[in-house]
Every structure is written in structure tokens, then in C-alpha cells.
Amino acid sequence: MGNPAGFWLAFLERGILGSIKWLESQRFDRHDYDRLVCDMLTVPGVDPAIPLVAVSRSGIVDGLPIVAHWGPDDLVGAWQA
């Protein structure tokens, strides 16, 4: 990625912040969520109330406070649209 700051700003402008976990046999879990929250706090200007999202090849565990999540079928469907 050429400009990481630009990447983060694009997410912030849309009002979401998220994480991608693309492992074949591991779902997005509490550890990943906790890491996302810690990383969020290092992004300058981010509002701690920003909605958090996840993209995961193997899904997410239940009970995480993620407002949305997407998997492989969602990405393929968006690409084909």
C-alpha cells in the first residue's frame, strides 16, 4: 500500500474502521477485536465511538461488538456488481 495514512483517512471519512483477517481456518475472534480497538486508539483524530467492522475469510465469533462483517461471498458479490 503506497499511502497508509490515506488508507485510514478513507475509512474515517466514511465513518467506519475495520480489520481484515483472511485465514482459512480461524475466525475473527476476541483477540482480533481487542487488537482492532487498541490500533484504533493510535489513529489520529478517530472518535472512540466509531463503528467497527471486520472482513474475515472464516467468519467471526459470536458476541463481538462489530456493526458489520463481510466474508468471501460478500466480496465477490460486491466485485461483480
Side-chain angles (χ1 to χ4, degrees):
M1 178 165 301
N3 182 357
F7 172 79
W8 287 115
L9 289 175
F11 268 94
L12 293 175
E13 288 172 0
R14 287 162 182 79
I16 62 170
L17 192 65
S19 177
I20 299 170
K21 181 171 186 171
W22 207 255
L23 300 176
E24 189 170 336
S25 62
Q26 258 185 304
R27 296 187 296 167
F28 188 91
D29 60 17
R30 174 54 73 170
H31 175 265
D32 300 307
Y33 173 80
D34 291 344
R35 185 68 204 181
L36 173 58
V37 170
C38 287
D39 290 346
M40 172 194 68
L41 298 173
T42 68
V43 178
V46 72
D47 179 350
I50 194 166
L52 300 176
V53 300
V55 177
S56 175
R57 181 177 181 179
S58 300
I60 68 168
V61 299
D62 293 334
L64 297 178
I66 300 286
V67 298
H69 66 282
W70 300 279
D73 292 339
D74 301 309
L75 298 179
V76 170
W79 178 75
Q80 292 173 339

